[in-house]
Amino acid sequence: MRIGSLAVAVICCFALTGCSFKAPQTERTLFVMDTAASVKGTEKDVELAVDTLTDLGKRFDRYDPESDIYSINHRLGNAVSDAAAELIKQSVRLSDTYGETVSIFAGSITDAWKIGSENPTVPSEETLSDALNSFQNADFSLDSMSFADKNGSVDVGSVAKGYALDKISGQLTGECCVVSMTSSVLLYGKKADSEKFSVAIRDPDDGTKSVGTLHTEECFLSTSGGSERYFESNGKRYIHIFDLSSGTPCRSDLTSVTVIVGRDTEWGGMLSDFLSTLVFIGGTESLGKFMNDPQLGVIALTDKNTIYVSENVDFSPAENSGYKVEEWKNER
Amino acid sequence: MKDKFHLIKPVEAVIIGIVLLTAFAAIFITNLQNDSPQTAVISCGDIRREISLDKDGTFHFDGIDAEFEVKDGKIRITSATCPDKICEKTGFIGSGQTIICVPNKITVAVVGSDSSIDAAVG
């Protein structure tokens, strides 16, 4: 008898180490907004999030003839949904506040490079200068939600995921939910073991490796870099983030930028999505302002294998990642 | 007699020792294998397939334009019909990681039974 109970006790101990008393959780993966999304949480929350992602993905798909964005771009004159109008207004506000280096009206440049099609290509000089003209002369009216003339095209790729996460954040009711869209993540609520959330930051040179782990309370976070989205032509890599002054892929001395915004921040999802791209484009030269913003957490990787982490971020670097963490110094 | 009640017979001691050793070895091996067995969830449009990563081999699913290889608890896309081949270049993935083929709308996500990482970005 004694042996029996002891054995049971030992087996229980073993079982407990592999199990962490989590509330029943469901996980779903789906392909939406040109990326892989996964939702983990209660069944109700997962269903809500998947529905919202699917719905918004359709509305914002610039290649879907039934989408709001397609209607705007092809001057179809269909009524634009509240979601698309809100997304556009908030994007314009962000560009007004932080700068025009990220703009949702640069769709003609995306088109010139055939990004999103099966065969992205390097455009001819003529095509590129036409695209730039179309972007620079774009005159969009927020009242009518339309362009004044044939110039301009909307591409909400830089903010749509953040917007979707903002919407989902307001719908969730469970205790804990993780919505991951590869480059943008919503961490909602508190984990059952009250530990912080752990998020791996992918190595931009090798997506299967991580450069370290971020420990955080509930928040929105987004990463921008050239690793997930690029195409190759004649051995050269072209990333999908553009320098809007030249219409060519942006050359940044940063290789990956992660921006973390508290979940209680209004439009925090959009802010992190938008700023990760903006900070990436700006390079180390304009990093200081964001490193010191108490509202933001920033993890920036440089092409010299340095990782800059803002003070308010709890980050543990991976061993042997080839990167070294350096303190950000303001006098740079 | 009372004292004897608290004593462990040599046979019992040996059995308890074996049980403890087995338990520790099991914990050690489980940690070593990084929460094996794991499952890869492959989705493409409305098609959704799951494969266990504890058996090596190559796989193909009707309606999904790609081939998959499972090796040592990891999975990769070996041949896809997309032009850019970013999915193939991603190579083998493990727990918490994903492969995405944008042109074919294929996603592969490895779901672990228990992972300390809640999400990965980049």
Side-chain angles (χ1 to χ4, degrees):
Chain A
M1 273 314 280
R2 213 163 8 152
I3 296 167
S5 41
L6 222 144
V8 168
V10 170
I11 288 164
C12 278
C13 284
F14 163 57
L16 291 181
T17 54
C19 187
S20 61
F21 289 119
K22 277 178 191 156
Q25 289 216 318
T26 322
E27 180 165 4
R28 289 255 321 255
T29 57
L30 67 157
F31 193 94
V32 67
M33 294 182 182
D34 275 350
T35 196
S38 84
V39 188
K40 257 180 286 185
T42 59
E43 204 163 318
K44 192 182 161 201
D45 277 351
V46 169
E47 204 168 297
L48 268 172
V50 168
D51 285 352
T52 303
L53 287 175
T54 314
D55 175 53
L56 294 178
K58 270 192 185 138
R59 288 187 195 285
F60 300 160
D61 181 352
R62 58 198 303 271
Y63 301 104
D64 180 348
E66 282 170 17
S67 81
D68 294 329
I69 306 301
Y70 188 96
S71 166
I72 293 171
N73 289 348
H74 294 81
R75 279 61 169 171
L76 301 182
N78 299 341
V80 170
S81 70
D82 290 347
E86 195 173 44
L87 169 76
I88 291 170
K89 278 184 190 147
Q90 290 303 327
S91 310
V92 170
R93 179 184 62 84
L94 286 170
S95 293
D96 287 349
T97 312
Y98 292 99
E100 303 276 345
T101 53
V102 179
S103 168
I104 56 162
F105 300 119
S108 56
I109 294 172
T110 322
D111 287 335
W113 290 81
K114 299 200 173 125
I115 301 297
S117 79
E118 288 205 357
N119 295 301
T121 35
V122 182
S124 68
E125 252 174 65
E126 200 191 343
T127 312
L128 195 57
S129 93
D130 285 350
L132 263 179
N133 272 327
S134 171
F135 163 60
Q136 283 155 358
N137 295 318
D139 178 9
F140 190 85
S141 157
L142 291 176
D143 295 323
S144 65
M145 280 293 149
S146 62
F147 288 104
D149 50 32
K150 64 176 180 49
N151 287 311
S153 174
V154 172
D155 180 346
V156 293
S158 56
V159 283
K161 293 187 200 104
Y163 177 85
L165 295 181
D166 278 324
K167 288 282 128 181
I168 291 168
S169 166
Q171 295 168 334
L172 299 175
T173 55
E175 269 169 25
C176 180
C177 187
V178 177
V179 185
S180 165
M181 304 183 73
T182 312
S183 60
S184 293
V185 177
L186 163 63
L187 302 166
Y188 172 95
K190 256 202 154 25
K191 289 169 72 173
D193 48 15
S194 358
E195 269 177 37
K196 286 184 175 181
F197 288 101
S198 298
V199 183
I201 309 292
R202 287 198 184 98
D203 183 340
D205 296 324
D206 180 352
T208 65
K209 286 189 191 141
S210 125
V211 298
T213 309
L214 159 74
H215 306 281
T216 174
E217 304 291 344
E218 58 171 0
C219 67
F220 297 100
L221 62 122
S222 281
T223 301
S224 284
S227 58
E228 189 205 345
R229 287 157 187 279
Y230 65 87
F231 72 92
E232 278 170 357
S233 174
N234 293 326
K236 229 181 124 186
R237 184 184 278 209
Y238 297 90
I239 66 167
H240 292 188
I241 299 172
F242 293 99
D243 172 351
L244 298 183
S245 59
S246 66
T248 52
C250 147
R251 286 169 197 279
S252 174
D253 62 349
L254 296 178
T255 53
S256 159
V257 173
T258 303
V259 175
I260 305 138
V261 179
R263 201 185 67 84
D264 52 358
T265 305
E266 202 183 359
W267 298 111
M270 276 187 93
L271 184 64
S272 73
D273 203 354
F274 179 93
L275 281 185
S276 66
T277 312
L278 185 118
V279 175
F280 174 83
I281 293 171
T284 44
E285 205 183 327
S286 30
L287 200 53
K289 172 175 143 195
F290 303 100
M291 279 287 171
N292 297 317
D293 188 334
Q295 200 198 347
L296 309 172
V298 180
I299 300 169
L301 278 60
T302 74
D303 57 9
K304 296 191 178 60
N305 294 351
T306 302
I307 307 179
Y308 293 115
V309 183
S310 52
E311 245 181 344
N312 52 359
V313 171
D314 177 0
F315 176 79
S316 24
E319 275 174 50
N320 307 322
S321 70
Y323 284 84
K324 71 174 195 293
V325 178
E326 249 177 57
E327 201 182 323
W328 177 259
K329 292 196 178 66
N330 285 323
E331 59 270 23
R332 288 177 55 93
Chain B
M1 279 314 278
K2 217 177 177 188
D3 280 349
K4 212 176 177 188
F5 188 71
H6 285 282
L7 279 175
I8 299 170
K9 286 181 200 156
V11 182
E12 287 182 359
V14 168
I15 295 174
I16 291 169
I18 290 171
V19 169
L20 278 172
L21 270 175
T22 319
F24 282 121
I27 292 170
F28 181 70
I29 290 166
T30 316
N31 287 341
L32 211 67
Q33 287 178 342
N34 204 7
D35 300 317
S36 196
Q38 288 169 328
T39 309
V41 181
I42 299 163
S43 1
C44 178
D46 293 332
I47 305 170
R48 194 185 143 94
R49 294 281 178 275
E50 290 189 8
I51 38 175
S52 169
L53 299 185
D54 51 7
K55 242 188 197 156
D56 292 358
T58 53
F59 302 86
H60 178 82
F61 302 99
D62 285 346
I64 302 178
D65 278 344
E67 294 208 342
F68 304 89
E69 184 188 358
V70 173
K71 205 177 162 190
D72 303 331
K74 295 188 162 196
I75 185 166
R76 66 170 175 157
I77 292 184
T78 44
S79 70
T81 55
C82 55
D84 55 15
K85 308 282 183 203
I86 291 177
C87 54
E88 287 181 29
K89 285 176 206 154
T90 306
F92 280 107
I93 59 159
S95 180
Q97 298 176 324
T98 48
I99 306 175
I100 305 154
C101 174
V102 176
N104 287 336
K105 296 194 190 287
I106 299 169
T107 66
V108 185
V110 176
V111 188
S113 48
D114 179 67
S115 169
S116 60
I117 298 292
D118 298 295
V121 279

